[in-house]
Amino acid sequence: MERTQALLNCLYQEAELLDEGRYREWLALLAQDVRYQVPVRVTKERGPEGGVSGVMEGMYHLDEDYTSLEMRVARLETGFAWAEDPPSRLRHFVTNVRIGEPRPTPKGEESEVRSNLLIFRSRWDRPDYTLLSAERRDVWRQEEGGWRLARRTVVLDSATLPTHNLAFFF
Amino acid sequence: MAKVKTGVSPRLSRMLEELQEGVEDGLVPAWIFNDPELFELEKEKIFSRAWVYLAHESEIPKPGDYVLRYVLDNPYILVRGEDGVVRALLDMCRHRGMRVCRAELGNASHFRCPFHGWTYRNDGRLIGVPAEREAFGQDFNKEEWGLVPIPRLEAFDGMIFGNLDPEAPSLAEWLGDIRWYLELVTKRSPQGLEVLGPPQRWVVHTDWKLALETFLSDSYHTLMTHRSLIELGIAPKDAKYAMYGEQIHIPGKGHGSMVVGAPPGAKLPPFWGYPEEMLERARTSYPTPEQFETARETRILLVTLFPNFSFHNPIRKPDHKYQGAVPMLTFRVWHPLGPGRIEIFSWALVEKDAPEWFKEKTRHSYLRFFGSSGTFEQDDTEIWSHVAHNAATPQGRHLRLNYRMGLKLEPDPNWPGPGVAYGLNFTDANMRNFHRRYLEMLLS
């Protein structure tokens, strides 16, 4: 129960950091060997075994490691990142959290954490907004000082994205 | 140039006259970037008659492989038949007009309509009609009811284009001299290119001409739009880096290219920074020594085809800490959805015979800088959205925009490639040439 609560807290704390644009603090939640991927999803026929369809291997919207995520954050700090300056108003709605059994690994104890995500994004002074829905399939690892995100795969619920860019994190 | 024709409304005719009067002087009415009536005319006069990029042959390598692509909002199944021939079939059942293929990609020997079950082979032939005799009688001839192929389909070095106009000139004639610049990429290796996966697709509230302009002629925007990447040391320190090099346009065709070398004093490896083995292959792969010499000095190459295809091939690296260069190549279609609204189809490609480590790295060089999340492109789409919005405002419609950069530049007589070249990239010459061609098609 303690582990469940700790991981739930991680997800909610992470959403707060992302919604408030505190990206340096968000980086501190990531493991140094983090793999962060948002695969391209396409419309395909239903497979005989069911499951999610059309999640492509090999092409992504984001395929990041710690260094590249740090680069994206550093960019936002330059004062010239027009896509998010002025910033979007973002809200990460994290629901349906499913926490797997812990398993020991050479790098520390890891736990699978799946969650549903609804991102609300509004920009400028216009009343329009964008909604992006997804499932996040994470692996969190217990390291010194707490849980760190070691792996995230974002399964989008869109083929063609209804937004002009992905200048934010899932 | 032809006079503005009757048949369009007085307001649209006034707009076209304004463009016609202004184009040589570099004055472009802002409202061409967001107008419903003009968009209808563009659909009829440009996109129904132009060669539109559909797919790369490496997307459908095996018999039965297909992808779904669009010319305007006409859906086409681009499919390789059992005979190896690539066809583009209108995804519309001949019986009641239902889609027979609703997946974006896959492999199929036939397409069966979910409405009444008419079944077509992947070469378009109708082969099955439920209760054929009982329902349609003895004299029903299935051969007359196959899927309708696109009126024209042609390829250039693996790039597949379609055209809705049966009377259109050949693709080779349409492309003309821009082929020399396309070949700098398509003939860099004897094996040619392959896609690194399906395209990213996303929607931007902007005009297709505005998006295209960035890749056709606008080196100038890099110093401000992409300032964040200069600050991070991703783009060269010299903010005017994209100024150096040649801007070339193909008169009468609307196509253009930008060929950018290393800024003075910058130590950038030759040949975009591609691995040495690729440089050596290119030496004999290119059709002419001039193309090889040009390629060796190139660090950034863009080619844009009239009306809505661009590629971008810059020296890059997978992240700001990576030592060394890993160039990237992206193809994209600025697919028009409506006035002030486009969908971007963006592919990453690489030479088939590139080393495996390089293929992996170049995918990252692409994803982190271009495409839906790219740190360059995300600022482009932000800015294009606002310009298109302004273009449709009552006051914005009265403004003429400044396309006067480089109006007095003289062509570079020493440039080895075809077309009209200028020895400086800070010019709107390619855009003025585009608008000439744009007007010519709208008015004919």
Side-chain angles (χ1 to χ4, degrees):
Chain A
M1 200 57 219
E2 206 179 311
R3 186 175 56 89
T4 301
Q5 195 56 50
L7 283 165
L8 277 175
N9 286 349
C10 281
L11 294 188
Y12 296 149
Q13 187 202 351
E14 184 194 18
E16 178 179 320
L17 296 175
L18 291 174
D19 291 344
E20 295 183 0
R22 290 152 63 193
Y23 294 116
R24 281 283 156 194
E25 290 174 65
W26 175 69
L27 286 176
L29 285 180
L30 308 179
Q32 288 296 313
D33 62 345
V34 67
R35 205 64 203 281
Y36 182 107
Q37 295 180 317
V38 184
V40 164
R41 196 162 176 190
V42 302
T43 309
K44 286 191 85 170
E45 281 153 356
R46 185 181 300 280
E49 67 291 338
V52 298
S53 70
V55 178
M56 300 304 289
E57 285 174 24
M59 189 43 70
Y60 302 86
H61 291 288
L62 285 155
D63 182 16
E64 306 297 297
D65 55 25
Y66 188 89
T67 306
S68 67
L69 289 169
E70 199 274 337
M71 176 179 75
R72 290 176 184 271
V73 169
R75 189 185 102 80
L76 291 167
E77 295 165 344
T78 62
F80 300 102
W82 316 118
E84 276 297 325
D85 206 346
S88 295
R89 288 167 296 272
L90 293 169
R91 192 68 60 196
H92 287 68
F93 293 91
V94 180
T95 72
N96 300 51
V97 179
R98 289 145 285 165
I99 296 173
E101 288 304 309
R103 56 161 197 264
T105 77
K107 291 173 175 171
E109 185 183 286
E110 291 186 349
S111 211
E112 273 188 42
V113 180
R114 288 166 68 169
S115 58
N116 291 0
L117 185 69
L118 186 67
I119 297 181
F120 173 96
R121 185 191 197 194
S122 102
R123 287 192 59 64
W124 318 305
D125 55 353
R126 294 187 208 157
D128 326 332
Y129 56 83
T130 307
L131 290 177
L132 275 167
S133 167
E135 184 195 34
R136 299 188 302 191
R137 297 173 175 183
D138 295 353
V139 173
W140 290 74
R141 183 189 301 141
Q142 190 144 38
E143 293 181 352
E144 275 179 56
W147 291 90
R148 299 278 179 278
L149 180 67
R151 175 153 189 94
R152 171 165 291 166
T153 303
V154 179
V155 177
L156 290 170
D157 297 325
S158 299
T160 302
L161 303 178
T163 182
H164 64 295
N165 58 33
L166 295 180
F168 52 86
F169 302 104
F170 289 89
Chain B
M1 186 171 285
K3 270 305 279 181
V4 173
K5 280 211 300 196
T6 52
V8 300
S9 76
R11 60 179 285 287
L12 185 56
S13 145
R14 191 168 68 247
M15 175 204 280
L16 296 174
E17 275 163 18
E18 255 185 63
L19 179 60
Q20 205 169 17
E21 286 159 19
V23 66
E24 295 311 324
D25 209 19
L27 293 172
V28 170
W31 62 342
I32 70 162
F33 293 113
N34 196 344
D35 184 82
E37 210 182 336
L38 179 62
F39 185 75
E40 289 305 311
L41 192 67
E42 288 174 347
K43 278 164 70 176
E44 179 197 339
K45 297 290 191 177
I46 294 179
F47 289 101
S48 297
R49 300 192 296 167
W51 285 98
V52 173
Y53 183 80
L54 294 172
H56 193 264
E57 65 172 13
S58 64
E59 292 181 87
I60 43 174
K62 296 188 298 294
D65 284 350
Y66 69 86
V67 290
L68 205 58
R69 294 291 148 76
Y70 295 85
V71 182
L72 292 170
D73 53 1
N74 304 291
Y76 279 99
I77 311 166
L78 220 71
V79 54
R80 191 179 291 275
E82 307 307 319
D83 53 4
V85 175
V86 174
R87 297 177 178 83
L89 306 168
L90 185 65
D91 185 10
M92 182 171 182
C93 182
R94 295 293 306 280
H95 176 230
R96 282 293 188 282
M98 172 56 189
R99 301 277 290 261
V100 302
C101 173
R102 288 163 298 146
E104 281 175 71
L105 58 85
N107 183 283
S109 58
H110 60 273
F111 299 98
R112 188 176 59 200
C113 180
F115 201 172
H116 302 89
W118 285 29
T119 301
Y120 303 85
R121 274 180 59 106
N122 61 15
D123 59 7
R125 274 184 293 163
L126 179 62
I127 54 158
V129 173
E132 183 183 336
R133 291 284 153 81
E134 299 91 321
F136 291 92
Q138 294 291 341
D139 57 349
F140 178 66
N141 185 358
K142 290 201 289 292
E143 280 174 27
E144 293 168 9
W145 296 95
L147 292 175
V148 178
I150 196 167
R152 302 284 295 282
L153 190 71
E154 289 188 38
F156 176 79
D157 283 356
M159 303 168 68
I160 305 169
F161 295 80
N163 197 316
L164 299 181
D165 179 8
E167 307 299 318
S170 71
L171 177 64
E173 191 185 333
W174 177 270
L175 293 174
D177 283 341
I178 199 68
R179 285 178 296 176
W180 196 90
Y181 300 91
L182 283 174
E183 285 171 354
L184 293 179
V185 159
T186 62
K187 289 190 163 60
R188 194 153 45 201
S189 104
Q191 302 236 10
L193 298 165
E194 65 182 17
V195 294
L196 284 165
Q200 299 170 328
R201 298 173 59 178
W202 73 104
V203 171
V204 183
H205 286 266
T206 194
D207 183 85
W208 59 275
K209 301 184 290 300
L210 206 58
L212 160 143
E213 170 179 335
T214 303
F215 289 71
L216 172 64
S217 77
D218 193 357
S219 272
Y220 186 48
H221 83 293
T222 52
L223 65 84
M224 197 59 195
T225 303
H226 304 305
R227 173 85 180 268
S228 66
L229 284 311
I230 297 170
E231 298 280 317
L232 289 183
I234 294 291
K237 278 194 183 61
D238 179 352
K240 296 198 291 262
Y241 69 90
M243 176 179 76
Y244 310 104
E246 302 277 330
Q247 183 167 123
I248 304 107
H249 68 259
I250 311 300
K253 305 285 187 193
H255 317 308
S257 178
M258 291 186 279
V259 185
V260 179
K267 287 201 185 78
L268 295 176
F271 195 62
W272 294 269
Y274 280 105
E276 180 71 23
E277 62 184 274
M278 292 173 69
L279 170 72
E280 285 313 310
R281 266 201 292 270
R283 198 183 290 277
T284 49
S285 177
Y286 279 128
T288 66
E290 289 78 16
Q291 281 164 302
F292 176 71
E293 295 302 326
T294 301
R296 195 167 53 186
E297 294 313 312
T298 299
R299 308 307 190 284
I300 304 174
L301 172 69
L302 298 105
V303 169
T304 288
L305 304 179
F306 188 95
N308 66 332
F309 169 88
S310 300
F311 77 61
H312 184 27
N313 184 203
I315 189 169
R316 203 104 292 166
K317 46 190 187 172
D319 60 62
H320 60 315
K321 292 192 176 150
Y322 187 85
Q323 298 296 312
V326 178
M328 53 154 266
L329 172 63
T330 177
F331 281 16
R332 58 261 320 288
V333 168
W334 317 106
H335 177 62
L337 290 181
R341 193 155 176 265
I342 65 170
E343 179 176 334
I344 302 178
F345 286 69
S346 174
W347 294 258
L349 297 98
V350 70
E351 280 66 23
K352 267 184 200 146
D353 52 10
E356 284 305 316
W357 70 265
F358 180 83
K359 289 185 182 180
E360 178 64 11
K361 292 289 179 204
T362 194
R363 190 164 60 82
H364 286 137
S365 286
Y366 160 69
L367 285 176
R368 288 158 188 177
F369 302 108
F370 281 85
S372 50
S373 75
T375 49
F376 275 81
E377 193 146 11
Q378 57 181 259
D379 290 330
D380 287 320
T381 56
E382 165 84 10
I383 284 169
W384 300 339
S385 309
H386 289 281
V387 178
H389 178 89
N390 270 342
T393 58
Q395 284 298 300
R397 302 180 87 83
H398 296 303
L399 286 183
R400 291 181 183 206
L401 301 177
N402 184 320
Y403 283 74
R404 298 170 65 90
M405 188 165 57
L407 213 49
K408 293 186 175 140
L409 271 183
E410 292 295 327
D412 176 359
N414 299 317
W415 177 247
V420 179
Y422 297 92
L424 182 71
N425 249 307
F426 283 3
T427 171
D428 293 320
N430 279 6
M431 220 37 214
R432 292 189 291 267
N433 180 60
F434 171 89
H435 281 131
R436 278 181 215 117
R437 177 68 176 140
Y438 173 71
L439 270 171
E440 183 187 38
M441 283 205 81
L442 285 182
L443 300 179
S444 62

